[in-house]
Amino acid sequence: MNERIIADFVGHFFVTDMEREDPIRGRIVMSPKRLVLVGDDHKVTVPTESMFDVAVGHVPPEMHEFFSDSITIAYRTDEGRRMVIVEAESDTVDKFATVLFKAHLNGRTVTVEHPARRGGRVVDSPSRKAKLSVDAGELAFAGPEVEFTVDLATVTDFEKETRALGGERRPALSIRHIPQTTALVSVVALPSERVLNLLGRYVRLEYSDIVESLQDVSLSDEEVEVLVAIYSAGEGVDPLEVVAADASRTTMVLNGLREKELVVDSDGGTALTPKGRVVVNSRLEEINN
């Protein structure tokens, strides 16, 4: 492959139209233009532009006995839709998922309205062109007239819709997030519904990982109060200075929050983890409603 390689590893793969029932061990190589899977006299090439869905961890029921840590890629061919399932070590799958989404999303020209809403109020923000990039749980938008990031740990809701932007109706993703203490809605539109679907998948993947990790976490009113205090005062503060409670009691609460991985100590003080920000954002969302 005389192209820039962005992923190259050994794993197992299965394509829905293969004449066999078990996966193949082979080499998985990807460039920005295509994904190539080779093994056991099989070679499958999937053009990047033909991919329309990427699901991490989702495996068709009939393949559950073969796959655990996996990525399912849906794509179109002249004969119809196909799926390829790729399995490897957990860390490799995570890295490959990031590579896949970056290959589809980085450098895309998008149309944004930011913010489209502030709190419960519609904001008359103009439509602007920007370049999209994704990395480390963030969406970054940069253009001559607009520049902002959306930390996916601050997202509280998102939905796909059709919006009139720049005098043209187009598929868009409406993202509700709380970067500080006020809820914002940012709208991102793409000319390609295929790419918009993949952007939605990326947002859901990053957001769902954090939400899933919180399912078994229970919090007392005191713990929530401390989390909100840290958030409101600015990360890197000393909670003992901003929480209106007994210092020894606050210290005990903080120890519990550290064990639950909701706060972390840094050189500048105590900061919220992504999980901690989701908890606070959910509480602020309840207040705003």
Side-chain angles (χ1 to χ4, degrees), residues 21-84:
E21 296 181 354
D22 58 321
I24 295 172
R25 179 173 173 80
R27 184 180 176 192
I28 294 95
V29 183
M30 187 171 181
S31 75
K33 292 184 178 181
R34 72 201 78 218
L35 171 66
V36 180
L37 309 101
V38 183
D40 288 355
D41 299 323
H42 284 75
K43 180 177 180 180
V44 180
T45 300
V46 182
T48 303
E49 290 298 316
S50 72
M51 302 176 189
F52 65 89
D53 200 4
V54 174
V56 180
H58 172 74
V59 180
E62 64 272 18
M63 299 301 295
H64 278 169
E65 64 177 297
F66 298 113
F67 292 100
S68 53
D69 293 313
S70 63
I71 296 176
T72 300
I73 303 166
Y75 62 101
R76 293 183 175 88
T77 71
D78 293 338
E79 291 76 35
R81 297 184 175 189
R82 299 287 187 272
M83 285 194 304
V84 57

Side-chain angles (χ1 to χ4, degrees), residues 108-109 111 126 192 283:
R108 293 281 179 175
T109 298
T111 303
S192 166
R283 177 54 61 94

Side-chain angles (χ1 to χ4, degrees), residues 45-218:
T45 300
V46 182
T48 303
E49 290 298 316
S50 72
M51 302 176 189
F52 65 89
D53 200 4
V54 174
V56 180
H58 172 74
V59 180
E62 64 272 18
M63 299 301 295
H64 278 169
E65 64 177 297
F66 298 113
F67 292 100
S68 53
D69 293 313
S70 63
I71 296 176
T72 300
I73 303 166
Y75 62 101
R76 293 183 175 88
T77 71
D78 293 338
E79 291 76 35
R81 297 184 175 189
R82 299 287 187 272
M83 285 194 304
V84 57
I85 307 167
V86 176
E87 181 190 52
E89 296 292 330
S90 178
D91 288 347
T92 301
V93 166
D94 289 342
K95 292 176 181 177
F96 183 45
T98 300
V99 166
L100 273 170
F101 284 113
K102 285 184 174 182
H104 286 287
L105 300 174
N106 279 2
R108 293 281 179 175
T109 298
V110 300
T111 303
V112 297
E113 282 186 3
H114 173 77
R117 297 181 69 93
R118 186 186 300 276
R121 182 172 58 87
V122 175
V123 180
D124 189 23
S125 296
S127 300
R128 304 292 194 190
K129 296 289 186 182
K131 291 288 187 181
L132 167 66
S133 62
V134 300
D135 195 22
E138 284 189 346
L139 305 179
F141 303 89
E145 299 177 290
V146 63
E147 187 168 349
F148 67 99
T149 61
V150 175
D151 182 345
L152 296 180
T154 70
V155 172
T156 60
D157 193 18
F158 55 94
E159 62 178 340
K160 182 181 174 182
E161 58 186 11
T162 301
R163 297 276 294 229
L165 297 175
E168 180 182 349
R169 294 189 65 80
R170 61 187 73 184
L173 196 67
S174 179
I175 304 172
R176 186 176 179 86
H177 55 113
I178 309 178
Q180 298 297 326
T181 57
T182 302
L184 303 178
V185 173
S186 301
V187 178
V188 184
L190 284 143
S192 166
E193 191 159 359
R194 179 189 72 85
V195 179
L196 183 72
N197 183 56
L198 291 167
L199 175 59
R201 276 293 193 188
Y202 178 74
V203 173
R204 184 177 299 279
L205 174 65
E206 294 290 329
Y207 177 67
S208 297
D209 282 348
I210 296 173
V211 171
E212 183 178 350
S213 69
L214 287 168
Q215 287 182 349
D216 297 326
V217 175
S218 60

